[in-house]
Amino acid sequence: MVARRVHPESIYTEWLARRGIHLAHGADAALLTRLSVAECFNRRARPFQEDTTLSEMLGAMRQSRQTIYPVIDDAETLRGIVRTSDLRDVLEDSATFEHIVLAGDVVHDAPAVVTPDDSLLTALRRLGGGDLAAVPVVDNETDRRLLGLLTRADLFSAYERALTEQSY
């Protein structure tokens, strides 16, 4: 009780509070717990194959608003992610490397993943823990077959819809 008075935010809600989002510990957390990732993730998110070339990646990035691209193998297993920011250094010499650099060369381990069965509260904690704009959605954490991508915007849109429905 004393700790809650001195520091009312949990480690997870502190991250949100710094960004101006304040969740009440009871009602908001309960609402996020009732909602699942399956209800709001983007099933049409564009992944890259490990052998996608730099020029193909850049072309896809120009046509999309995604900032994180899952990288998958031939079995559609998640191998990691490529952020648009990861390619900044490579872009300086893109004419030289555009057919040599592959997605598999610039891929990073996905710092967090979620499954469709995870609650939005779990997803929010994973987004916040890695300070991510999006997390890959996989069938399960063992096989990690890519199903889509969950962005912060997707999560908060679902939360706002649920709040609106709840108030009626």
Side-chain angles (χ1 to χ4, degrees), residues 45-46 48 60-61 64-70 81-88 132-135 149-152:
R46 163 109 193 220
F48 293 144
M61 288 177 180
S64 175
R65 297 180 74 163
Q66 269 181 245
T67 57
I68 293 177
Y69 292 82
I81 59 171
V82 171
R83 296 180 181 122
T84 54
S85 60
D86 294 334
L87 299 178
R88 283 191 190 121
L132 301 169
V135 291
L149 204 60
L150 176 70
T151 66
R152 274 194 205 127

Side-chain angles (χ1 to χ4, degrees), residues 5 31 36 50-51 55 58 69-70 79 142 154 161:
R5 281 285 205 197
L31 181 58
S36 72
E50 290 177 299
D51 61 354
S55 60
L58 294 175
Y69 292 82
R79 292 294 174 212
T142 305
D154 296 331
R161 278 191 309 273

Side-chain angles (χ1 to χ4, degrees), residues 47-164:
F48 293 144
Q49 293 285 332
E50 290 177 299
D51 61 354
T52 302
T53 65
L54 177 61
S55 60
E56 292 169 328
M57 287 188 284
L58 294 175
M61 288 177 180
R62 284 186 198 105
Q63 297 174 6
S64 175
R65 297 180 74 163
Q66 269 181 245
T67 57
I68 293 177
Y69 292 82
V71 177
I72 57 175
D73 62 15
D74 291 334
E76 297 185 8
T77 302
L78 181 68
R79 292 294 174 212
I81 59 171
V82 171
R83 296 180 181 122
T84 54
S85 60
D86 294 334
L87 299 178
R88 283 191 190 121
D89 295 335
V90 177
L91 288 176
E92 293 175 11
D93 297 320
S94 65
T96 308
F97 298 121
E98 70 181 29
H99 297 292
I100 299 171
V101 176
L102 305 177
D105 298 330
V106 292
V107 69
H108 297 281
D109 286 337
V113 297
V114 293
T115 68
D117 296 332
D118 286 331
S119 72
L120 291 190
L121 184 59
T122 298
L124 182 61
R125 288 175 175 162
R126 292 193 182 154
L127 280 165
D131 198 21
L132 301 169
V135 291
V137 179
V138 296
D139 59 345
N140 63 61
E141 295 196 36
T142 305
D143 297 334
R144 294 172 57 108
R145 190 176 59 80
L146 182 69
L147 300 176
L149 204 60
L150 176 70
T151 66
R152 274 194 205 127
D154 296 331
L155 189 149
F156 286 115
S157 291
Y159 172 73
E160 288 173 5
R161 278 191 309 273
L163 273 180
T164 302

